[in-house]
Amino acid sequence: MDFLAILVIIVLVLAVEHLVYCRKIFSNLEYKCYFSVDEAFEGDEIELIEEISNAKLLPVSWLKSELATSKWLEAGELESVVTGETRFISSIFMLKSYHKIRRSWKVKCLKRGVFTIDKSILVSSDLFGTMNTSMPVELNARVRVLPAPLPADSISRDSVSYICGNVFTKRQIISDPFFYNGIHEYIDGDNLRRICWKATAAADELMIYNNDYTLNKSCAVILNCQSSEADFGEPLDVIALEICIKVAASLLKFCADSGVPMTLLSNGQISENSGNIISDTATGGEQLLSCLRLLAELRFDAAESFGAFLNGTCKAAPGTEICVITPYIDEHTVSFAEFQKGVTILTTGEIPEYMPSHINAISVGRNFFGLNIPEKEAECDEAS
């Protein structure tokens, strides 16, 4: 067989191989990508799982998957490139006939939010690398990252201890047996268990304790999603708003740990045109989880200005204690605190000089509280 015949055979083989791979490379090929959990906290390490199976005789010598997700999901073991707010992730596979591969990658959740992977692009080639072909694959990988509360020493305990305990009220159906308010002479119908024996001995007649009326405390957490009064749409100071969210998460956790009923209100939205956030009032871990989920999905496009929100929705805010968390304090905030009872203002900004001394205002500072913000980005935000 001469050289020309061999060359013709080689060309025919390559042509057939090329044609077969062009038509069949993605047939009976299944690709899946998902997170190991549906929900995690900031700082948690979760897994990104890729599964690919080749259910045919034809081997796949080279296949590349390309994913796009948020830059706040740090994939240290994967080859990734960050551009703007997007992280591009690539991985390579080689599959034999009727072969399945499952890979798990460690991913660290750097920031609260809802992160998805909607699509993957699969790129493959034939045995000799003479062609490249691609195929999109629809995915539904989703993880909700809940905001982590601040470290225990970030907010002084004095600033939250007022949330616990009882508050005195004018009248309830039943008086509180643990709170006394003086004594009086015995009259018919008084409970003999409330006799004050010391006063009885001194007065030589039955003396009865007066019991006060109390009401269990509850807390309303009001969160401002404007970093300044002129903020509408894209916020000017994202870091201040993220710190405010972590402060809100800390207060809600304190309420849950103390058994205090709580509610969350915010002028932010969880989706476009969804309106202000107003949660139910309840206590316990389920209520805390529900509020943290709202904070995780919170967007910074305010439904209305914070002043209008305070003067409207928040005037009827449930709770004996009201915590206003805001990046700045203006006249609307001060007026609301003077009008309502039991208001405490926590701010990442400065406390104005005209703030009345009887209003409880606390500055929580402007450190990043563990926010994993790249150094250059943090410097730019601080400069602005």
Side-chain angles (χ1 to χ4, degrees):
M1 185 178 294
D2 58 8
F3 176 76
L4 183 59
I6 294 174
L7 185 60
V8 170
I9 292 172
I10 292 174
V11 171
L12 287 174
V13 170
L14 289 175
V16 171
E17 186 265 357
H18 182 89
L19 183 63
V20 169
Y21 269 90
C22 282
R23 292 184 176 182
K24 299 294 183 180
I25 187 66
F26 291 123
S27 66
N28 296 322
L29 190 73
E30 185 178 6
Y31 176 83
K32 295 179 181 178
C33 179
Y34 54 92
F35 295 104
S36 57
V37 295
D38 297 326
E39 207 165 66
F41 277 91
E42 282 178 312
D44 285 355
E45 198 172 65
I46 62 176
E47 289 184 340
L48 176 65
I49 300 169
E50 290 183 288
E51 289 183 359
I52 187 165
S53 60
N54 180 28
K56 60 180 181 293
L57 184 62
L58 191 69
V60 179
S61 61
W62 181 85
L63 186 141
K64 181 180 182 182
S65 66
E66 296 181 344
L67 309 171
T69 186
S70 171
K71 73 173 182 179
W72 300 109
L73 296 179
E74 185 180 64
E77 299 176 342
L78 283 163
E79 181 184 342
S80 65
V81 177
V82 175
T83 304
E85 292 293 314
T86 305
R87 183 185 298 274
F88 296 96
I89 300 173
S90 301
S91 56
I92 305 295
F93 299 90
M94 289 182 290
L95 295 107
K96 298 177 290 186
S97 304
Y98 303 103
H99 187 205
K100 181 176 181 179
I101 296 176
R102 183 181 186 274
R103 288 179 181 169
S104 298
W105 308 99
K106 297 294 184 183
V107 174
K108 189 172 184 180
C109 304
L110 300 182
K111 185 180 175 184
R112 61 105 204 167
V114 178
F115 306 114
T116 60
I117 301 177
D118 299 319
K119 183 185 292 186
S120 173
I121 303 295
L122 299 182
V123 181
S124 188
S125 179
D126 61 1
L127 293 173
F128 302 102
T130 60
M131 48 76 74
N132 279 328
T133 183
S134 62
M135 180 183 73
V137 178
E138 298 296 326
L139 302 173
N140 190 26
R142 182 179 186 270
V143 62
R144 182 193 289 116
V145 180
L146 306 178
L150 297 175
D153 57 348
S154 297
I155 301 179
S156 69
R157 193 162 183 86
D158 292 340
S159 64
V160 293
S161 60
Y162 62 87
I163 296 175
C164 300
N166 297 327
V167 60
F168 290 104
T169 184
K170 292 182 179 179
R171 190 75 182 175
Q172 292 287 332
I173 296 175
I174 301 174
S175 60
D176 193 326
F178 298 104
F179 287 89
Y180 301 115
N181 183 17
I183 55 177
H184 65 269
E185 293 181 7
Y186 174 82
I187 58 176
D188 290 341
D190 279 340
N191 191 339
L192 295 178
R193 293 181 180 179
R194 298 192 332 210
I195 294 176
C196 177
W197 293 107
K198 185 176 181 180
T200 296
D204 199 25
E205 59 180 318
L206 285 177
M207 304 296 290
I208 304 295
Y209 281 114
N210 290 328
N211 288 94
D212 241 320
Y213 297 93
T214 62
L215 183 68
N216 288 333
K217 285 188 177 181
S218 58
C219 183
V221 176
I222 300 174
L223 176 63
N224 181 11
C225 281
Q226 289 178 277
S227 62
S228 71
E229 294 179 75
D231 241 4
F232 277 98
E234 196 67 27
L236 300 174
D237 193 346
V238 175
I239 293 176
L241 293 174
E242 292 292 346
I243 295 173
C244 286
I245 287 176
K246 294 174 81 66
V247 172
S250 301
L251 291 178
L252 292 167
K253 185 177 185 302
F254 185 87
C255 290
D257 293 343
S258 305
V260 175
M262 55 189 153
T263 186
L264 172 66
L265 302 95
S266 176
N267 62 333
Q269 306 181 84
I270 60 174
S271 61
E272 191 173 357
N273 300 322
S274 63
N276 298 322
I277 291 175
I278 305 173
S279 76
D280 296 331
T281 302
T283 188
E286 284 298 322
Q287 173 69 357
L288 173 62
L289 195 58
S290 175
C291 291
L292 291 180
R293 285 169 178 163
L294 291 174
L295 291 177
E297 299 183 24
L298 188 63
R299 296 156 51 111
F300 293 143
D301 50 341
E304 61 179 329
S305 68
F306 193 56
F309 183 59
L310 289 176
N311 293 325
T313 304
C314 294
K315 279 193 173 180
T320 60
E321 307 298 330
I322 298 175
C323 299
V324 177
I325 305 171
T326 175
Y328 62 91
I329 297 176
D330 60 3
E331 293 83 357
H332 297 291
T333 312
V334 174
S335 176
F336 176 79
E338 288 188 307
F339 176 77
Q340 299 283 354
K341 292 182 179 179
V343 174
T344 295
I345 303 172
L346 297 100
T347 181
T348 59
E350 297 181 355
I351 299 175
E353 295 181 358
Y354 59 80
M355 173 73 72
S357 59
H358 63 272
I359 296 178
N360 188 20
I362 301 164
S363 177
V364 295
R366 248 199 86 86
N367 61 63
F368 297 139
F369 294 121
L371 287 179
N372 294 279
I373 297 173
E375 186 176 346
K376 289 185 179 179
E377 183 177 334
E379 290 174 357
C380 291
D381 286 335
E382 284 289 343
S384 63

